[in-house]
Every structure is written in C-alpha cells, then in structure tokens.
Amino acid sequence: MAATRALDTLSSLYELDETAWLDLMADLAREGRVEEFDLAHLAEFLSDIARRDRREVESRLVVLLLHLLKWEFQPDRRTRSWRAPLIEQRQELNAVASKGVLRAHAEETLPAVYERAVERAAAETGLPVDRFPSECPYPLEQLLTMVLPEAVPKARS
C-alpha cells in the first residue's frame, strides 16, 4: 500500500513539476532504490529526450545546409557576418551528432533534411528550387569538418 502511495505521489509530481520529479528520480537512482522508480513516466520521459535529440540534429542540419546553400549560390551577396552562422551550426551539429546513434540519424536523414533546406533556401534567396542540386552535394563528414573560404569575395580587377 505504501508503494502504491509513493508511486501515486511520483506520478502527481511528474504532472505538476517535471524538474522536481527528475531530481527525485535521480536521487532514487543514486540511492539504488530502483524499485521506487516511476517506470511509466520514466520510459515516456526517456523517449521524449531521444526524440528531442533527433529533432535537434535535423534542425541543426537544416540550418547549416540552408546557410551553406545561400553561401554557395549567392556569392556576390556574402558578407563577413554570413560566416558566423555556418561556423555556429557546424560546431553545434558536431556537439550533438559527431558519433553514435545521433550521427547515424544525421546520415540517415540527410537527404530529407536537405530537401527542407533547399525549400527554405529558395524562399530566402528568391532562386527557383531547381537551381539547387537535387541531391545533397555535401557528405555529413564534410558538413562536420568544413572550413570556409574567405567570407567576402576579393574585388575583381
């Protein structure tokens, strides 16, 4: 009966204050009291975290590809400020998808993510969708390690 009340309390806490619930679950884990875990909500929470991580990888890829497409297909419009978002997205993508299951997810979703990036690049640049390559020309490894050329094209003589 006490175990049922404790589980009800944990379930209520999960609904009311997820962070407090997480702190309590962490305390239970540290103390080895796994029999007191709120397993149903714990499973739900862990699945949500995995989905969130996959969405973050996709989002970082879309933004990186979008900026890279704009960089390559509008060279005359480049400014020094265009370089920073490319570097930021590459660094953030590396932080989440440089290895393991999230890297595999990045590899697997790259073609679909590229289509989303092309649609956004066309909308932002005013260029037609068919102006961009139909398939992603950038392997994931290149996206994770790329070094950009000079930010502003040299003046033509």
Side-chain angles (χ1 to χ4, degrees), residues 17 28 57 62 74 83 86 120 124 126 131 136:
D17 187 344
L28 292 173
V57 166
V62 167
Q74 291 190 310
R83 193 179 184 112
L86 282 161
R120 287 179 58 184
E124 287 191 26
R131 175 84 194 283
C136 185

Side-chain angles (χ1 to χ4, degrees), residues 14 18 40-60 96 101-102 105-106 109 113 116:
Y14 177 82
E18 191 176 84
H41 286 122
L42 184 58
E44 178 183 327
F45 182 81
L46 293 173
S47 292
D48 288 347
I49 294 294
R51 273 192 298 280
R52 182 203 67 201
D53 290 350
R54 285 181 177 90
R55 276 193 313 270
E56 181 178 358
V57 166
E58 292 173 26
S59 177
R60 297 284 180 191
V96 295
V101 72
L102 291 177
H105 180 69
T109 61
V113 166
R116 291 168 40 201

Side-chain angles (χ1 to χ4, degrees), residues 34-82:
V34 295
E35 68 282 349
E36 296 177 50
F37 279 5
D38 178 3
L39 291 176
H41 286 122
L42 184 58
E44 178 183 327
F45 182 81
L46 293 173
S47 292
D48 288 347
I49 294 294
R51 273 192 298 280
R52 182 203 67 201
D53 290 350
R54 285 181 177 90
R55 276 193 313 270
E56 181 178 358
V57 166
E58 292 173 26
S59 177
R60 297 284 180 191
L61 270 172
V62 167
V63 175
L64 178 59
L65 289 165
L66 164 67
H67 287 293
L68 192 53
L69 289 168
K70 287 169 49 179
W71 176 274
E72 290 205 13
F73 286 87
Q74 291 190 310
D76 294 340
R77 299 194 62 188
R78 288 181 195 156
T79 64
R80 292 200 194 310
S81 66
W82 279 28

Side-chain angles (χ1 to χ4, degrees), residues 1-11 28 33 35-37:
M1 191 66 165
T4 302
R5 265 187 257 128
L7 186 55
D8 288 343
T9 301
L10 279 174
S11 284
L28 292 173
R33 296 166 45 196
E35 68 282 349
E36 296 177 50
F37 279 5

